[in-house]
Amino acid sequence: MRIGIGFDIHRLVAGRPFIIAGVKIPFDRGPLGHSDGDVLCHAMADAMLGAMALGDIGLHFPDTDPRWKGIPGLQILKTVRQKVEKGGWKVKQIDAILLCEKPSLSPFREEIQKNICRALKIARSQTGIKFKTAEGLAEIGKSRAISSFAVVNLEPK
Ligand code: MG
């Protein structure tokens, strides 16, 4: 088996949509980024690339390339899942933490979970997603950033 770890953080700014795993969440700010700033998908994709020893999403989807401008996080996740499959592996289990003070993400849990499962072609029982606040501390706690950590376990296809 193979194990990978992923991390992502994005600044929250006015005038950007707030999207997590393809789910648009009503809020007055959104993640700043060349892509849609979907930290959950980005951390998961990085974990999968790490498990494959294939570098990181910055290498595969450079922000200097206009092709990737505004690319949805779910699209990155699907593309990385295809790379995993091409290498002869599949996701056995993924687990993630999403650090977000506001907005509250729990009303969107089912939809977020469903989209991740569909993108990775795995069951809910293989998908861990935890929502945490930062208890008001630092940039994340002031709702000026959101962040995500992910760990993935791959098994041979
Ligand atoms: Mg990112």
XYZ file of all heavy atoms in Angstrom, residues 8-10 35 37-39 42 57, ligand 1:
70
model
N -3.397 22.348 2.272
C -3.635 23.547 1.463
C -4.170 24.669 2.348
O -4.768 24.410 3.402
C -4.621 23.267 0.335
C -4.573 24.347 -0.740
O -3.508 24.969 -0.920
O -5.595 24.576 -1.408
N -3.921 25.886 1.925
C -4.468 27.064 2.619
C -4.748 28.141 1.580
O -3.997 28.264 0.600
C -3.501 27.571 3.732
C -4.139 28.688 4.555
C -2.159 27.998 3.157
C -3.419 28.963 5.884
N -5.853 28.837 1.739
C -6.173 29.972 0.869
C -6.672 31.128 1.703
O -7.398 30.938 2.683
C -7.238 29.613 -0.173
C -6.705 28.857 -1.342
N -6.394 29.454 -2.536
C -6.420 27.544 -1.491
C -5.939 28.537 -3.387
N -5.943 27.353 -2.773
N -6.999 29.055 -9.152
C -8.081 28.081 -9.344
C -9.287 28.594 -8.556
O -9.370 29.759 -8.220
C -7.636 26.727 -8.801
O -7.491 26.814 -7.394
N -9.790 27.728 -5.547
C -9.356 27.770 -4.151
C -10.035 26.744 -3.262
O -10.158 26.952 -2.055
N -10.452 25.638 -3.877
C -11.160 24.575 -3.140
C -10.143 23.771 -2.305
O -9.570 22.777 -2.761
C -11.877 23.679 -4.155
C -12.850 22.699 -3.541
O -12.604 22.249 -2.400
O -13.835 22.362 -4.206
N -9.906 24.243 -1.078
C -8.817 23.688 -0.246
C -8.968 22.193 0.030
O -7.964 21.471 0.089
C -8.679 24.416 1.119
C -8.020 25.764 0.958
C -9.970 24.508 1.871
N -7.887 20.342 -3.043
C -6.453 20.532 -3.272
C -5.616 19.702 -2.286
O -4.620 19.088 -2.685
C -6.080 22.018 -3.138
C -6.680 22.878 -4.218
N -6.515 24.240 -4.268
C -7.460 22.551 -5.285
C -7.163 24.729 -5.327
N -7.746 23.709 -5.949
N 0.333 19.433 -6.697
C -0.575 19.993 -7.712
C 0.008 21.243 -8.379
O -0.341 21.540 -9.509
C -2.018 20.248 -7.184
C -2.061 21.172 -5.979
C -2.739 18.965 -6.900
C -3.492 21.566 -5.606
Mg -4.976 25.457 -3.323
